[in-house]
Amino acid sequence: MRSPGPRKAQSVFDATLGLLTELGYDGLTIEGVAARSGVHKTTIYRWWPSKDALLGAALLDANLLELSVPDTGGIDDDLRSLVEQVLRLLTGKATGATVTAILGAATHRPALASLVTEFFAGRLARERIVFERAIARGELREGTDPGMIMDLLAGAIWLRVLARGETPRAGYVRSIVSLVLDGARP
Amino acid sequence: MRSPGPRKAQSVFDATLGLLTELGYDGLTIEGVAARSGVHKTTIYRWWPSKDALLGAALLDANLLELSVPDTGGIDDDLRSLVEQVLRLLTGKATGATVTAILGAATHRPALASLVTEFFAGRLARERIVFERAIARGELREGTDPGMIMDLLAGAIWLRVLARGETPRAGYVRSIVSLVLDGARP
């Protein structure tokens, strides 16, 4: 291999995500990544021209974007699976700190915000099939908006974990899925 | 008045929130607040011993915590009112930038995170009466969890504004309230 970039990419990515979770986005620098990974600064800049480009590549590599699209044959279990994956993403040892650091920084960094926006759009595009199957089976009303249902369910997890500072108790995922499917009226 | 603190408090608070929205939490310093407000650093430190103490006081003063508890006589309109207030808080000219800066910084600042947690807990405590009235009127199932319904509705607004980077279209609030009340099944 002639290029030093890809060969050393893994240690650069590890250093990037490690420093991000330890220091936050503002504390993350190419210099810091160079020091921790042992890869020279100019080499890093040759492959990733900016901090945001490097961060985007590191996130992609980390499979944070991974989503297993369920097909259990029923909308209740399919939704539970999707929501459990959101919960694991936000609370997992390996992913939780990274995701919260990025969401936090994205609120005042446009480049990072568009990365987050793309992530959510890509995820929703892959989730649509779950809703199409459920509508075809007669389990959801015609015209049900997948984005709205995922806003409610993923938003509830988000708000509880990030704003209320709680890890939802067992059964929480099942309860919010039932509430959105059956409604709160008697 | 003998104390310079309260007398000059307003200009200190204005400088604090202004710098927070312009520079983000990490860029906010007592020195910067002193320079912009014209109040001496040691005076600021005498009244607010830390950046987080100052920020907490400035937020309280800004009435970000304001909540008008609706009592329209019906749960549909009451919930719409509560959710519209979340939307205005997150997208308002005066409040949106402040709130997103704080939520962003809170993900890696424990002192700020507990401020956010308290804010959400206090808000939920004041919202409970809306749900008690609706259960008494027979509009919601006995045992309906107010926190869960507010997680879903406020979480959806949050996720759409902060993560998807969209301002919800007109009618969005009405649609998510109907969905949570009536459910998504046919």
Side-chain angles (χ1 to χ4, degrees):
Chain A
M1 283 181 71
R2 278 165 25 216
S3 57
R7 249 197 313 135
K8 296 173 179 172
Q10 197 55 55
S11 54
V12 172
F13 291 159
D14 290 346
T16 302
L17 296 185
L19 289 169
L20 173 73
T21 55
E22 286 162 36
L23 307 176
Y25 178 82
D26 290 332
L28 174 68
T29 60
I30 299 274
E31 284 72 16
V33 172
R36 179 168 297 190
S37 66
V39 176
H40 199 274
K41 195 171 75 168
T42 54
T43 308
I44 297 177
Y45 272 118
R46 196 187 316 150
W47 289 93
W48 303 282
S50 69
K51 176 164 105 170
D52 288 328
L54 172 58
L55 192 51
L59 291 173
L60 221 79
D61 175 76
N63 275 337
L64 280 180
L65 316 177
E66 215 170 7
L67 170 75
S68 145
V69 178
D71 186 12
T72 64
I75 188 63
D76 295 70
D77 283 337
D78 278 1
L79 284 181
R80 268 177 228 140
S81 163
L82 289 177
V83 179
E84 292 283 1
Q85 291 183 65
V86 176
L87 182 59
R88 278 200 297 275
L89 186 68
L90 285 182
T91 60
K93 262 212 177 76
T95 55
T98 305
V99 171
T100 55
I102 289 164
L103 290 174
T107 58
H108 63 284
R109 306 290 303 198
L112 216 51
S114 59
L115 214 140
V116 170
T117 307
E118 273 167 45
F119 164 75
F120 277 95
R123 206 160 168 109
L124 183 58
R126 299 196 49 216
E127 289 162 340
R128 284 189 185 279
I129 184 71
V130 166
F131 295 87
E132 286 163 16
R133 289 191 197 114
I135 291 172
R137 284 190 303 258
E139 291 183 302
L140 292 176
R141 278 197 297 275
E142 285 281 345
T144 297
D145 179 349
M148 196 174 287
I149 294 193
M150 291 312 299
D151 280 356
L152 288 163
L153 293 172
I157 297 289
W158 246 58
L159 195 141
R160 184 145 294 229
V161 173
L162 299 182
R164 298 203 202 274
E166 294 172 22
T167 302
R169 58 173 173 69
Y172 181 80
V173 168
R174 177 177 291 263
S175 299
I176 58 174
V177 166
S178 296
L179 194 49
V180 167
L181 288 173
D182 295 317
R185 298 201 209 266
Chain B
M1 284 179 70
R2 278 166 22 214
S3 57
R7 250 199 311 137
K8 296 173 177 170
Q10 197 56 55
S11 54
V12 172
F13 291 158
D14 290 347
T16 302
L17 296 185
L19 289 169
L20 174 73
T21 55
E22 287 163 35
L23 307 177
Y25 178 84
D26 290 331
L28 174 67
T29 60
I30 300 275
E31 284 71 18
V33 172
R36 179 169 296 192
S37 66
V39 176
H40 199 276
K41 195 172 75 168
T42 54
T43 308
I44 297 176
Y45 272 118
R46 196 186 317 150
W47 290 92
W48 303 282
S50 69
K51 177 164 106 170
D52 288 328
L54 172 58
L55 192 52
L59 291 172
L60 221 78
D61 175 76
N63 275 337
L64 280 182
L65 316 178
E66 216 170 7
L67 170 75
S68 145
V69 178
D71 187 11
T72 64
I75 188 62
D76 294 70
D77 283 337
D78 278 1
L79 284 181
R80 268 177 227 141
S81 163
L82 288 178
V83 180
E84 292 283 1
Q85 291 182 66
V86 175
L87 182 58
R88 279 200 296 275
L89 186 69
L90 284 182
T91 59
K93 263 213 176 73
T95 55
T98 305
V99 171
T100 54
I102 289 164
L103 291 173
T107 56
H108 63 285
R109 306 290 303 197
L112 216 51
S114 59
L115 215 141
V116 170
T117 307
E118 274 168 44
F119 165 76
F120 278 95
R123 207 163 168 107
L124 183 59
R126 300 197 48 216
E127 290 162 340
R128 284 189 185 278
I129 183 72
V130 165
F131 295 87
E132 286 164 15
R133 289 190 196 115
I135 291 171
R137 283 191 303 259
E139 291 182 304
L140 291 176
R141 277 197 297 275
E142 286 281 346
T144 296
D145 179 349
M148 196 174 286
I149 294 194
M150 292 312 300
D151 280 356
L152 288 163
L153 293 172
I157 297 290
W158 246 58
L159 195 141
R160 185 144 293 228
V161 173
L162 299 182
R164 296 203 204 274
E166 294 173 21
T167 301
R169 58 173 174 68
Y172 181 79
V173 169
R174 176 176 293 263
S175 299
I176 58 174
V177 167
S178 296
L179 193 49
V180 168
L181 288 173
D182 296 316
R185 297 202 211 266

